[in-house]
Amino acid sequence: MKITVIGTGYVGLTTAVSFAMRGHSVMGVDVDAAKVERLQRGQSPIYEPGLEPALQKAMEEGGLTFTANPAEAVARADALFLCVGTPEGQDGRADLGYLFKAVATLQELLPKEGGERLVVIKSTVPVGTSDQIAGMFAAYSNVHVVTNPEFLREGRALQDSLEPSRIVIGARDERAFALMEDVYADIDAPRIHTTRANAEMIKYASNAFLATRISFMNELARLCAAVGADIEVVARGMGLDSRIGPEFLRAGVGFGGSCFPKDIEALINLARATQTPLSLLEQVRAINRSQPAWFLDRMRNCLQTFAGKEIALLGLSFKPETDDIREAPSLVIVKRLLAEGAHVRAYDPVAVPHVVRLFPELTFVNTAYDALEGADAAILVTEWKECTQLDWLWVKVIMAGTFLFDGRNAWPAEHVKGLGFTYLGVGRS
Ligand SMILES: NC(=O)c1ccc[n+]([C@@H]2O[C@H](COP(=O)([O-])OP(=O)(O)OC[C@H]3O[C@@H](n4cnc5c(N)ncnc54)[C@H](O)[C@@H]3O)[C@@H](O)[C@H]2O)c1
């Protein structure tokens, strides 16, 4: 099929590459001309494991091209996948400005009759948005508007896109479902064919539920710390129950990223707007917002003060294997440490270029050991293996102090304690 992907960010670029790998003829289009130029040179503007080589291979084989010209991208396509951002707006609701701009471009460029076309909304949108967009194409006899939410996880985006956990298709008529099945013909994954509204809600509900598990564990971690229990052991014990399962039971300094915070915000706002508040989710948000501060307070208790302290901060991206820093807890932590007079040396394998722009006063270094050298204390914010698999004996030699603050419970607690470090994890006695 000839597929055009509109918006070549984390989702759009991954989607474009995976469609091309499956034999579709794909064109990616973006309003960001600099991004398109990089892509045309075969360079990925984002860090995702395996993405750049796959991008280059797909381009060499002729199945993937990029343009900044929407007319060129729209004219050729049997299916147009909208993958533009839907960030949090000023009022907490999803900002649909990019989406409606892209839809307006499609309205301009698509003929009102002739060959059938799919307009597929892959961006995460509040319930009702896709039906609204379908209404905007009511005069187009040949256009099927479909919702097809994306569930990929950054850090393993390409793999998830190639082997999705499920394919959710929201549409009105059988013809639209059949055309979408042509797009995903070779993928062996459970299908849900449903209404556009259900498809939209499945996406939000999935993210909200995962966020709820994390906040549940984070709040429980505070109790564990208070009563002398260890959240890691508790999580293992819980996760062995098949009704619970082991995923998303990790306590830490809070969740971030481009999806959970903004998606739960959008869902909370949607719920309030319809006078059916989601009070549990409001609490999930509150716990997450207070989690970095809770951990920082415990750190300060150990150090007496942050003022004048040399602190090594390991990991800046919101999770390992991505350069995405949107809503990353590291940003809150850095801000607080700097405000309280700490000298922070930060290390991250890939996210530094994004953080330099936000905190030019921060010292950035090239390795975890460079950050740790001479530090009074170290905090682990993102559990990159470069930040967790350390030679602890050497760390003991190069650090000035002995405080290790493990914001992800990913350092070997007993081992480092045995070496004479003072170890503080999240919810570990
Ligand atoms: N990032 C994730 O892990 C993830 C996972 C699942 C779903 N989603 C959802 O997918 C959507 C995209 O997220 P993302 O992280 O890829 O966003 P992103 O910000 O990385 O990328 C969006 C891209 O769209 C481009 N764009 C904006 N307006 C455009 C237009 N009119 N025409 C062409 N290009 C345009 C931007 O320049 C940018 O390159 C969001 O709704 C998000 O909630 C994201």
Side-chain angles (χ1 to χ4, degrees):
M1 261 176 122
K2 285 189 179 142
I3 296 178
T4 283
V5 174
I6 301 165
T8 56
Y10 286 84
V11 166
L13 180 55
T14 309
T15 303
V17 170
S18 76
F19 279 155
M21 287 172 76
R22 286 203 217 102
H24 294 300
S25 165
V26 184
M27 183 177 278
V29 58
D30 205 289
V31 286
D32 183 339
K35 191 178 271 192
V36 171
E37 270 172 37
R38 280 190 74 172
L39 288 165
Q40 286 169 334
R41 289 197 299 270
Q43 293 169 358
S44 171
I46 57 167
Y47 175 77
E48 260 303 324
L51 189 62
E52 192 166 88
L55 162 81
Q56 289 166 355
K57 188 157 182 278
M59 289 176 76
E60 276 161 27
E61 288 171 357
L64 179 60
T65 53
F66 295 94
T67 181
N69 177 357
E72 181 191 5
V74 170
R76 64 185 289 283
D78 305 315
L80 296 131
F81 277 73
L82 287 156
C83 300
V84 301
T86 49
E88 188 178 321
Q90 298 263 325
D91 54 2
R93 289 188 297 171
D95 175 355
L96 300 177
Y98 299 106
L99 183 70
F100 282 118
K101 245 197 187 140
V103 168
T105 305
L106 293 186
Q107 284 182 299
E108 257 171 53
L109 295 172
L110 283 173
K112 288 203 169 68
E113 49 201 25
E116 278 180 305
R117 284 195 170 89
L118 287 167
V119 169
V120 185
I121 296 147
K122 206 169 231 329
S123 301
T124 304
V125 292
V127 178
T129 308
S130 304
D131 281 350
Q132 190 185 344
I133 292 171
M136 294 161 75
F137 285 100
Y140 295 68
S141 60
N142 52 348
V143 168
H144 304 276
V145 173
V146 175
T147 310
N148 174 218
E150 179 55 58
F151 299 97
L152 64 77
R153 292 161 289 182
E154 285 182 21
R156 45 182 303 165
L158 186 57
Q159 198 181 340
D160 281 350
S161 185
L162 291 168
E163 295 164 14
S165 53
R166 70 282 211 195
I167 296 173
V168 175
I169 301 170
R172 264 281 167 81
D173 56 90
E174 287 310 317
R175 181 70 189 145
F177 289 121
L179 289 169
M180 284 299 287
E181 285 301 336
D182 288 345
V183 173
Y184 290 114
D186 56 336
I187 296 191
D188 179 21
R191 306 294 209 264
I192 294 199
H193 286 191
T194 185
T195 63
R196 290 187 283 249
N198 283 342
E200 290 164 337
M201 187 57 102
I202 287 168
K203 173 64 193 172
Y204 274 113
S206 300
N207 276 358
F209 188 72
L210 293 172
T212 301
R213 284 176 70 114
I214 297 174
S215 275
F216 176 83
M217 294 310 286
N218 282 340
E219 195 170 45
L220 200 67
R222 301 184 200 181
L223 181 61
C224 284
V227 299
D230 186 329
I231 191 73
E232 288 300 308
V233 181
V234 173
R236 225 177 308 136
M238 291 168 63
L240 289 169
D241 185 325
S242 62
R243 295 167 301 177
I244 297 174
E247 301 282 335
F248 279 78
L249 294 183
R250 298 295 306 277
V253 285
F255 59 77
S258 65
C259 291
F260 285 7
K262 80 161 173 72
D263 288 351
I264 64 171
E265 197 64 41
L267 194 54
I268 286 168
N269 275 279
L270 181 72
R272 285 220 163 264
T274 53
Q275 280 80 49
T276 45
L278 292 171
S279 56
L280 174 61
L281 207 53
E282 290 180 20
Q283 201 50 33
V284 166
R285 174 182 63 183
I287 294 165
N288 195 56
R289 283 183 180 163
S290 59
Q291 190 70 0
W294 171 79
F295 195 62
L296 282 162
D297 288 347
R298 290 171 62 78
M299 286 170 56
R300 197 191 305 93
N301 283 347
C302 292
L303 295 173
Q304 319 289 338
T305 175
F306 289 133
K309 294 283 193 292
E310 297 288 336
I311 302 213
L313 187 143
L314 304 189
L316 292 162
S317 56
F318 86 93
K319 67 175 178 180
E321 300 298 334
T322 178
D323 61 347
D324 200 342
I325 58 155
R326 289 177 281 187
E327 302 290 327
S330 65
L331 306 181
V332 180
I333 291 168
V334 165
K335 200 170 167 190
R336 177 75 87 80
L337 290 173
L338 292 176
E340 295 195 27
H343 305 293
V344 182
R345 267 198 311 268
Y347 165 71
D348 188 285
V350 296
V352 168
H354 302 296
V355 183
V356 170
R357 282 183 273 120
L358 302 176
F359 295 105
E361 67 274 47
L362 209 59
T363 305
F364 297 97
V365 292
N366 291 325
T367 68
Y369 295 106
D370 289 345
L372 292 160
E373 192 161 355
D376 297 308
I379 174 171
L380 178 69
V381 183
T382 316
E383 65 276 35
W384 285 94
K385 69 175 178 349
E386 290 85 342
C387 303
T388 57
Q389 294 174 11
L390 299 171
D391 177 346
W392 290 103
L393 206 53
W394 183 241
V395 174
K396 188 82 198 328
V397 172
I398 62 175
M399 273 182 71
T402 59
F403 290 98
L404 295 182
F405 302 121
D406 184 356
R408 296 293 174 190
N409 289 350
W411 282 338
E414 294 312 317
H415 177 59
V416 298
K417 279 190 247 175
L419 291 174
F421 284 104
T422 304
Y423 173 89
L424 178 75
V426 179
R428 318 188 77 178
S429 55

